[in-house]
Amino acid sequence: LSTSSLNKTLRQQYLSLPQGNFCQVTYVWIDGSGEGLRNKTRTMDSEPKSVADLPEWNFAGSSTGQSKGHNSDMLLIPVCMFRDPFLLDPNKLVLCEVLKHTREPAESNHRNSCNKVMEKVKELHPWFGMEQEYTLFGVDGHPYSWPRLGFPKPQGPYYCSVGADRAFGRDIVECHYKACLYAGIKISGTNAELLGIMFWMGYFTSYLKKKAIEKLSKRHAEHIRVYDPHDGEDNKRRLTGRHETSSIHDFSSGVANRGASIRIPRQVGQEKCGYFEDRRPSANCDPYAVTCAMARTCMLEGDEDVHELE
């Protein structure tokens, strides 16, 4: 790409310039695709101490797939603030919810409804952890360091791998890890993986864990529809029952079974308490939509469809 050939040393010279008491605050939000991120930056006269110090903002939703041109303005509502690992202190990154001009949540704003559900179940103390896997691509559009012709060796040597001939792009992984820690993002660890994504969920009691899996088994099809941004179409290509995936058509669970919909770690199976792993969400899922569906099914009584987020 043309940007990769720009002089990064010169860029760093300008980024190192003093900025006085001013603070650059970058607002980040999910666009109309439900997968892409957008951002815009504003200058503040001083460093904000919390989201309460941040004003609402707006953007042209017609350019992000979130509104029509005749009524384009959408609202950005700051909800969480982080240190900026790119521009460094005192600058900030801010996650925002998107609201319509009526102050109703945008269609791609699943955080709003997720927050309401989490408020209802907070006394149960649910724990969620997303394992976000990603693949590095070269400027030629191919996976980074794949053979020019053909395919790499079978996946066995690459899981938790080390070495220049196996852990390709490790510098990027390590930099990403440090950037998350600097920003204040709660990241628990990293390792070289295979391909896919898994979802972890912990409870304090074994009773809830067993009841949760039973409830999930009854709403498999409903969950599949919210486990990727395209109502399950993306997961049709991944959940084939091969390569340590379950079948998209059938619900299954098992101890230490990575080919099941729900994997119960062996230690959890022995101790009868702990967490389980939902292996069905796609790598491009919206974590708010997924955790909302999990909480609704496992912890709220009633027959409401998990796809109805209000």
Side-chain angles (χ1 to χ4, degrees), residues 11-268:
R11 173 181 178 273
Q12 187 57 42
Q13 176 182 331
Y14 284 100
L15 288 180
S16 300
L17 291 174
Q19 60 187 65
N21 293 325
F22 294 111
C23 181
Q24 292 174 269
V25 181
T26 300
Y27 285 45
V28 181
W29 70 96
I30 300 170
D31 67 16
S33 71
E35 301 176 79
L37 293 174
R38 306 293 179 110
N39 77 92
K40 56 190 296 188
T41 304
R42 71 186 305 157
T43 303
M44 296 189 67
D45 292 334
S46 60
E47 179 181 357
K49 303 303 180 185
S50 71
V51 291
D53 299 328
L54 300 172
E56 294 183 7
W57 209 1
N58 60 70
F59 68 95
S62 57
S63 297
T64 63
Q66 291 171 291
S67 67
K68 303 295 184 182
H70 67 274
N71 193 8
S72 179
D73 282 3
M74 302 290 284
L75 302 176
L76 290 174
I77 313 299
V79 293
C80 195
M81 185 170 69
F82 303 90
R83 297 169 69 192
D84 190 332
F86 307 107
L87 301 179
L88 306 182
D89 289 337
N91 304 303
K92 308 295 182 185
L93 295 178
V94 178
L95 177 66
C96 299
E97 281 196 18
V98 177
L99 301 184
K100 302 176 183 179
H101 71 282
T102 59
R103 302 197 73 82
E104 296 176 319
E107 284 73 12
S108 59
N109 178 5
H110 297 303
R111 183 188 185 278
N112 189 276
S113 53
C114 181
N115 188 51
K116 294 175 182 177
V117 170
M118 294 306 167
E119 278 295 311
K120 293 180 180 179
V121 302
K122 63 183 180 181
E123 299 303 321
L124 295 175
H125 304 287
W127 294 348
F128 298 92
M130 303 295 294
E131 181 179 276
Q132 178 63 68
E133 296 188 351
Y134 57 89
T135 302
L136 301 176
F137 284 84
V139 294
D140 59 358
H142 289 84
Y144 182 65
S145 290
W146 268 37
R148 294 296 178 187
L149 299 174
F151 299 91
K153 298 176 182 178
Q155 60 188 13
Y158 305 107
Y159 174 68
C160 294
S161 61
V162 297
D165 63 334
R166 298 180 180 185
F168 305 115
R170 183 162 188 158
D171 287 349
I172 298 175
V173 175
E174 300 293 356
C175 290
H176 172 253
Y177 196 167
K178 278 297 185 72
C180 288
L181 294 175
Y182 179 92
I185 294 173
K186 295 179 180 179
I187 181 171
S188 60
T190 184
N191 65 271
E193 261 290 359
L194 310 178
L195 293 178
I197 187 171
M198 291 166 284
F199 181 78
W200 289 8
M201 186 177 191
Y203 289 114
F204 285 116
T205 69
S206 60
Y207 170 78
L208 279 177
K209 174 175 69 65
K210 292 171 184 180
K211 287 288 186 180
I213 294 176
E214 180 183 347
K215 290 180 178 181
L216 287 170
S217 70
K218 298 176 181 178
R219 289 189 166 178
H220 175 68
E222 296 171 49
H223 277 255
I224 287 295
R225 293 204 303 273
V226 298
Y227 278 7
D228 72 49
H230 301 109
D231 292 328
E233 290 301 311
D234 293 339
N235 260 335
K236 284 183 179 179
R237 295 177 291 167
R238 186 179 69 89
L239 296 179
T240 62
R242 303 174 59 194
H243 308 299
E244 296 187 343
T245 68
S246 60
S247 168
I248 194 172
H249 303 294
D250 304 305
F251 180 88
S252 58
S253 64
V255 175
N257 185 355
R258 296 180 182 272
S261 305
I262 303 293
R263 181 183 73 90
I264 302 170
R266 188 167 302 283
Q267 183 177 358
V268 174

Side-chain angles (χ1 to χ4, degrees), residues 270-292:
Q270 294 171 346
E271 297 179 356
K272 306 300 181 184
C273 65
Y275 70 90
F276 63 81
E277 179 182 82
D278 191 334
R279 298 175 62 81
R280 296 170 296 172
S282 65
N284 60 338
C285 73
D286 185 321
Y288 294 120
V290 171
T291 54
C292 182

